[in-house]
Amino acid sequence: MKRTLTVCPYCGTGCSFYLVSDGGRLVGVEPSTTHPVSRGGLCVKGWNAFAFVHHSDRLTTPLIRRNGTLTPASWDEAIGLVVDRLRSIQQRHGYDSVMFSSSAKATNEENYLLMKLARAVFATNNIDHCARLCHSSTVFGLAETFGSGAMTNSISCFDQTDLILVIGSNTTEQHPLIGTRILNAAQRGAKLIVADNRRIRLARHADLHLRHKNGSDVALINGMMHVIITEGLMDRLFIEQRTENYAALAANVADWTPERAAALTGLEADEIVAAARMFAAAGRAMIVYSMGITQHSHGVDNVRCCAALSLLTGNLGRPGTGVNPLRGQNNVQGGCDMGALPDVYSGYQKVADPLQRQKFARAWGVSTLPERAGLPLTHAMDAAASGLLRGMFIMGENPLLSDPDQAHARHALENLELLVVQDIFLSETAAMADVVLPAACYAEKEGTFTNTERRIQRVRKALDPPGEALADWEIICALAERAGYGGMRYSGPSQVMDEIASLTPIYGGIAYDRLDRHGLQWPCPGKSHSGTPILHMESFTRGLGRFSPASYRPPAEAVDDEYPFVLTTGRTYFHWHTGTMTRRTHLLDREERTAFVEIHPDDAGRLDVRDRDELLVASRRGEIRVAARLTAMVVPGVVFIPFHFAEGAANALTNNVLDPESAIPEFKVCAVRIRRVV
Ligand SMILES: Nc1nc2c(c(=O)[nH]1)N[C@H]1C(S)=C(S)[C@@H](COP(=O)(O)OP(=O)(O)OC[C@H]3O[C@@H](n4cnc5c(=O)[nH]c(N)nc54)[C@H](O)[C@@H]3O)O[C@H]1N2
Ligand SMILES: Nc1nc2c(c(=O)[nH]1)N[C@H]1C(S)=C(S)[C@@H](COP(=O)(O)OP(=O)(O)OC[C@H]3O[C@@H](n4cnc5c(=O)[nH]c(N)nc54)[C@H](O)[C@@H]3O)O[C@H]1N2
Ligand code: SF4
Ligand SMILES: [Mo]
């Protein structure tokens, strides 16, 4: 038996375990008992993270569509075809007619290389990844207020805090090992406020559960800040010494009385007052948020409000405090850090800055780099639908199921002249592709992932990939070579990290031999720097913390007589996104077999619906059939559907309206009607 220490490929918590293998086959996992995050624990997905690796559906050879059918091909032919056709599209339609979609499931090194390929070899800034659908509003909002768009504190801070406000995060299901920390904190006496209208598990342990309307968080937090200011509960010294623009914030919330906030949120004024007082009274308070905050057409405003509440009460730069967006995918933090974004290189260094362009051009050995910011993923789908974008290279994403408004996404992908998908399975998107490239999975390659608390950790190879599959980084380097670019010859991922470190100040001190224990948290600017568990201790990354006032805007689509229910979408404990891995894991799949809709028993009664009845759920964009799940988890008038299931795809219904600043879609609110299928 061989034991290989690695990092969980599912969520951004970044738990660590040993892959146990026997004669080239994985037989199980064994948690790392010394790991600072997982401390010997794992959730059910982590325990089963070896199971999909040997599934017979793994892609083992490149595929090229011939006469309408995907047929096996050699690497040489597939790589040649991809490069020739991307080049040909660019010759006819310009450099920006192709788009690269990177992957938060892939390593830092792979994300860095794909962005280098897009920029240095294909001369376009059209590169983005699923962070667009996830925390793009965080990256924008926290960069504006603090200067850095990442979780400010560390997971260990939950052990030191006096109060946790969990707003729009189903932590025990979606970041289970962080959820456990929160439950432990509550048990030892820390106060817990949950602001989420679903009765999530944390809500049962909360001192206060606020079941406000979906999309009303700006009203809620503005109301809380109004109470804090009028009652004089703010941290005056902190505001004076560490912040700017306080007067504008105070003016903005002056008329946000609890009564006004109550009217818009559907809460009692007393609940808002109680939440405000409790939050302000805590010596150390943490805000934890996730998709309930970010995935709105006003996602950035939600983030501004969270940041302002923490600034107002002086809850930044100390242990047990902070604004803590929980990053979703195992390496979505890293995907952003590596510059798989349309406007920045690695380390958030701006493409618009001529000095940065010069620095990267020199290091990469090219004369110029494209200047104009690229397309965000969500705009790229619109551009594909309208014919402006002609070619798309997708590494490790499944937009046919994960993008909003499936009919729109399908049309966009069909409209492309060239679709290339590099995946470990033939996902729904890969099945539409012209070329499919088989990738090695996390267990079959070396690299690093960066977790939600900015911890860069090593992923290690436990076995060889199946068939002819290659690691993503090897495929990217082969594409670069074929395109005639000589600047991507590496002995391995460790050498790629050395290049990243040399160009990226926040990763400046990162090298594989320094990550052996349990990684390092960025910023880590030098080889003798021991990493940064807490950001903004002495000053903010941007100097002073900036209050950014936000005014309330309702969700884009309101309920009416025709579409009387609010649909909110999200996840379950057992499944991962589009299900490519978890639906191929027996122990997970048997727990949650197919699509369902959570509906309140009162609503069900009115519609004459019983548990497990088949329902037709329709929005202005599409309809699906799913099983009814009667539960008081949801409030009357709101239904919840997870987006894991192709046969009842939540995204057939969702609204492709975007936040104007971050281009994140409004996955969390749209209007639907429901009837029983007879
Ligand atoms: N098991 C599992 N774990 C996962 C994932 C998975 O697919 N499966 N995905 C990972 C990824 S990429 C991500 S981004 C995270 C997401 O993690 P979460 O954000 O925790 O998960 P969601 O289910 O999308 O939504 C969380 C909560 O937001 C609430 N909500 C909806 N609308 C609103 C609103 O307007 N205001 C407020 N305050 N709350 C609202 C919902 O009721 C829901 O309970 O999970 C990660 N972890
Ligand atoms: N309705 C609704 N839609 C949503 C959301 C929501 O809350 N509601 N949430 C959004 C959010 S937050 C996110 S993050 C997105 C996620 O959207 P996606 O990223 O599109 O979803 P995944 O299923 O995680 O897709 C990852 C793909 O990578 C493949 N893969 C795994 N490992 C590797 C590897 O090592 N290499 C390669 N090349 N491929 C690999 C998997 O097989 C899979 O096909 O969904 C978004 N969509
Ligand atoms: S909490 Fe997240 S990282 Fe930890 S085992 Fe579960 S899925 Fe993996
Ligand atoms: Mo996400």
Side-chain angles (χ1 to χ4, degrees), residues 36-83:
V37 175
S38 44
R39 302 192 291 199
L42 291 174
C43 82
V44 70
K45 291 177 296 300
W47 278 110
N48 286 287
F50 67 100
F52 69 83
V53 175
H54 294 298
H55 197 282
S56 57
D57 290 349
R58 281 292 301 278
L59 293 169
T60 56
T61 161
L63 304 170
I64 294 177
R65 189 172 298 280
R66 294 188 171 100
N67 302 322
T69 319
L70 285 170
T71 48
S74 71
W75 271 113
D76 193 51
E77 192 186 359
I79 295 284
L81 187 73
V82 171
V83 171

Side-chain angles (χ1 to χ4, degrees), residues 420-472:
V420 184
V421 175
Q422 178 167 313
D423 206 296
I424 61 172
F425 290 111
L426 192 73
S427 68
E428 287 73 9
T429 309
M432 294 180 67
D434 302 292
V435 185
V436 176
L437 304 175
C441 79
Y442 80 104
E444 300 150 352
K445 62 189 177 189
E446 299 285 323
T448 56
F449 292 159
T450 303
N451 83 347
T452 186
E453 57 171 4
R454 298 168 276 104
R455 184 182 298 276
I456 303 149
Q457 311 193 80
R458 279 195 64 182
V459 175
R460 294 179 183 83
K461 178 171 173 166
L463 72 170
D464 287 328
E468 294 170 36
L470 293 173
D472 292 290

Side-chain angles (χ1 to χ4, degrees), residues 134 291 328-329 571 577:
C134 185
M291 298 301 99
Q329 295 261 35
R571 308 161 157 76
H577 296 158

Side-chain angles (χ1 to χ4, degrees), residues 8 10-15 42-47 174-177 576:
C8 179
Y10 284 113
C11 91
T13 304
C15 299
L42 291 174
C43 82
V44 70
K45 291 177 296 300
W47 278 110
Q174 267 57 80
H175 294 89
L177 274 273
W576 192 263

Side-chain angles (χ1 to χ4, degrees), residues 11-12 45 134-135 167-171 173-176 195-198 200 212-217 290-293 295-296 302 326-329 568-577 640 643-644 668-669:
C11 91
K45 291 177 296 300
C134 185
H135 271 293
I167 182 161
S169 156
N170 187 0
T171 328
E173 313 277 305
Q174 267 57 80
H175 294 89
D196 186 324
N197 64 27
R198 286 176 82 220
I200 57 173
H212 59 307
K213 285 187 187 147
N214 298 78
S216 69
D217 298 85
S290 198
M291 298 301 99
I293 284 295
Q295 288 175 333
H296 292 277
N302 280 345
L326 301 182
R327 303 303 300 256
Q329 295 261 35
T568 189
T569 64
R571 308 161 157 76
T572 71
Y573 178 53
F574 296 102
H575 280 301
W576 192 263
H577 296 158
F640 170 82
F643 74 104
H644 307 303
K668 286 292 182 266
V669 185

Side-chain angles (χ1 to χ4, degrees), residues 546-588:
R546 182 175 179 83
F547 283 103
S548 278
S551 27
Y552 169 79
R553 278 180 291 133
E557 196 172 61
V559 293
D560 56 21
D561 290 344
E562 208 184 338
Y563 296 96
F565 287 95
V566 169
L567 166 68
T568 189
T569 64
R571 308 161 157 76
T572 71
Y573 178 53
F574 296 102
H575 280 301
W576 192 263
H577 296 158
T578 66
T580 58
M581 303 187 296
T582 50
R583 297 192 84 186
R584 289 187 175 89
T585 301
H586 173 67
L587 287 173
L588 300 174

